[in-house]
Amino acid sequence: MLRRFAAASRSSAKLVAPLGCLVSRQKHTLPDLPYDYGALEPHINAEIMQLHHSKHHATYVNNLNVAEEKYKEALAKGDVTTQVSLQPALKFNGGGHINHTIFWTNLSPNGGGEPKGELMEAIKRDFGSFANFKEKLTAVSVGVQGSGWGWLGYNKEQGRLQIAACANQDPLQGTTGLIPLLGIDVWEHAYYLQYKNVRPDYLKAIWNVINWGMYLQDMQLAKSRVEFLHRLLKCHQFYSDTTLVVPVAYK
Ligand SMILES: [Fe+2]
């Protein structure tokens, strides 16, 4: 299926709303978590999840809506200076909304273990073994200076998986071109209330709730994820018509 991503990218534009949707788009909303706040305990406690989702993510959504409203007004006025000045807020809050929306689906109370099927085959091909992949993504995530994210992404040009780190709330695809598969939030708000300053302990624990079922080994779930990303990204100004990839099998 990974190979299908690359092939599909060339003809995915017809599935994506035109860029003009920026003007007519509805406001962004905070997505519901697919599980209870306490469902990931003991690995991530309920207090962290509640604050992370209902406060931190909600703030990104609210601030993104405010920035987009100002941007829309600046566009209507032809006020380029204001449009440029709004870019940092759009990037930070837009990235925060995208990253967290993906992150919630990366986690599950029934998670942990190892992936199966084509994703596991691709991990072995590109990293040697699952253990090597896990060690590398953990190290990259632990090594993020300050706040940011560790990612497993798909490089559609090269047809291979890649690990990357992004600072702050920089969105993976908008920053590196990689399609996000698995993101690990290493902002302190994601772990400090439980793990204090020991980020490696949080990284060790999070592998117990990684939602491998969301990924490529299951056709129906994979379809759901692609449709989810489609809905999430189709009207976002950071993504052009050609950056969203839909597997051929689902057209
Ligand atoms: Fe976060």
Side-chain angles (χ1 to χ4, degrees):
M1 186 183 299
L2 288 172
R3 287 186 292 275
R4 292 183 189 133
F5 273 91
S9 65
R10 293 187 293 273
S11 57
S12 61
K14 65 182 179 181
L15 298 175
V16 183
L19 290 176
C21 66
L22 174 67
V23 175
S24 59
R25 178 181 54 230
Q26 294 181 339
K27 288 185 179 300
H28 298 282
T29 57
L30 181 67
D32 292 333
L33 282 189
Y35 37 75
D36 293 336
Y37 286 133
L40 304 182
E41 291 189 343
H43 310 293
I44 304 177
N45 70 31
E47 186 180 17
I48 288 176
M49 292 301 295
Q50 182 172 16
L51 289 170
H52 201 171
H53 176 257
S54 69
K55 301 297 182 183
H56 291 278
H57 188 172
T59 299
Y60 296 125
V61 171
N62 293 337
N63 288 342
L64 177 61
N65 284 326
V66 169
E68 287 191 344
E69 189 63 32
K70 291 179 179 176
Y71 191 86
K72 188 169 69 174
E73 293 171 5
L75 271 180
K77 295 176 182 175
D79 182 352
V80 177
T81 298
T82 298
Q83 292 172 40
V84 171
S85 72
L86 287 167
Q87 292 305 312
L90 290 167
K91 182 179 182 180
F92 183 75
N93 295 294
H97 180 33
I98 290 172
N99 291 340
H100 287 87
T101 302
I102 294 171
F103 183 58
W104 308 133
T105 71
N106 287 161
L107 306 176
S108 167
N110 302 312
E114 299 181 358
K116 300 174 183 175
E118 288 190 63
L119 178 58
M120 188 57 150
E121 293 173 15
I123 286 174
K124 290 179 178 176
R125 180 195 64 207
D126 295 333
F127 302 105
S129 68
F130 179 76
N132 285 346
F133 153 71
K134 184 176 173 181
E135 181 179 354
K136 186 172 182 181
L137 180 54
T138 297
V140 166
S141 301
V142 168
V144 171
Q145 293 184 338
S147 300
W149 292 73
W151 287 98
L152 171 66
Y154 179 64
N155 185 322
K156 64 179 184 291
E157 281 75 29
Q158 298 179 13
R160 61 187 295 269
L161 300 173
Q162 260 180 253
I163 287 173
C166 288
N168 302 311
Q169 294 295 356
D170 296 356
L172 181 71
Q173 192 168 6
T175 305
T176 67
L178 298 173
I179 297 166
L181 296 178
L182 168 62
I184 299 179
D185 187 346
V186 292
W187 280 62
E188 284 191 344
H189 67 224
Y191 63 87
Y192 196 86
L193 288 176
Q194 186 172 0
Y195 296 98
K196 301 299 186 288
N197 62 322
V198 191
R199 186 187 286 177
D201 284 356
Y202 160 67
L203 266 298
K204 184 178 180 181
I206 203 170
W207 289 104
N208 294 307
V209 288
I210 294 297
N211 182 16
W212 296 118
M214 198 66 192
Y215 301 105
L216 307 176
Q217 76 274 27
D218 184 289
M219 295 292 283
Q220 188 57 46
L221 285 174
K223 180 179 179 181
S224 298
R225 179 164 181 76
V226 168
E227 290 176 346
F228 155 77
L229 287 171
H230 188 184
R231 289 198 301 274
L232 175 66
L233 303 177
K234 67 180 180 180
C235 281
H236 202 285
Q237 63 180 348
F238 297 125
Y239 293 83
S240 72
D241 280 0
T242 57
T243 57
L244 183 66
V245 180
V246 178
V248 169
Y250 304 132
K251 288 185 176 180

